[in-house]
Amino acid sequence: TIDGTAVKLNKEDFEKVLAVNLTGSFLAMKAALPHMISQQYVRIISISSVAGLIGWRGSSAYAASKAGLIALSKSLLQTGSV
C-alpha cells in the first residue's frame, strides 16, 4: 500500500489511496443501488478498518480513506438512499 505520514506523503499518492479505498467503494455502491432498489432488497456491507476510527501511525491516507468509507456508509443509511 502507498502510505506514510502526512509530511512525507505526496498529493498524488494520497489521491491514489483515496481513489481505491473510497472512490472505488462509492462507485460500486452507486452502480449496485439502482438494481437493489428495484428488487426491494438493499444490503451493502462496507469493509473498513479501526484505522478509520482512531487513526494509524504512518498511515494518514489509509486512515482518511477508511474514515471516509465509514462516513459514506452512514450517510447513505441516514439519507434513505439505501
Side-chain angles (χ1 to χ4, degrees), residues 11 21 25-26 39 47 65 68-70 76-77 79 81-82:
K11 182 178 181 274
N21 292 344
S25 295
F26 166 75
Q39 297 295 312
I47 306 298
S65 69
L69 180 57
I70 292 166
L76 286 174
L77 180 63
T79 60
S81 298
V82 293

Side-chain angles (χ1 to χ4, degrees), residues 12-74:
E12 291 77 21
D13 287 342
F14 182 83
E15 289 175 347
K16 285 179 189 176
V17 174
L18 289 181
V20 171
N21 292 344
L22 183 55
T23 305
S25 295
F26 166 75
L27 294 174
M29 289 176 188
K30 186 170 175 62
L33 275 171
H35 304 291
M36 292 179 177
I37 291 169
S38 71
Q39 297 295 312
Q40 297 181 346
Y41 189 82
V42 179
R43 302 292 185 274
I44 294 176
I45 298 171
S46 301
I47 306 298
S48 189
S49 169
V50 69
L53 297 172
I54 64 171
W56 211 260
R57 184 176 184 211
S59 297
S60 54
Y62 178 79
S65 69
K66 294 303 182 175
L69 180 57
I70 292 166
L72 172 64
S73 300
K74 288 181 178 182

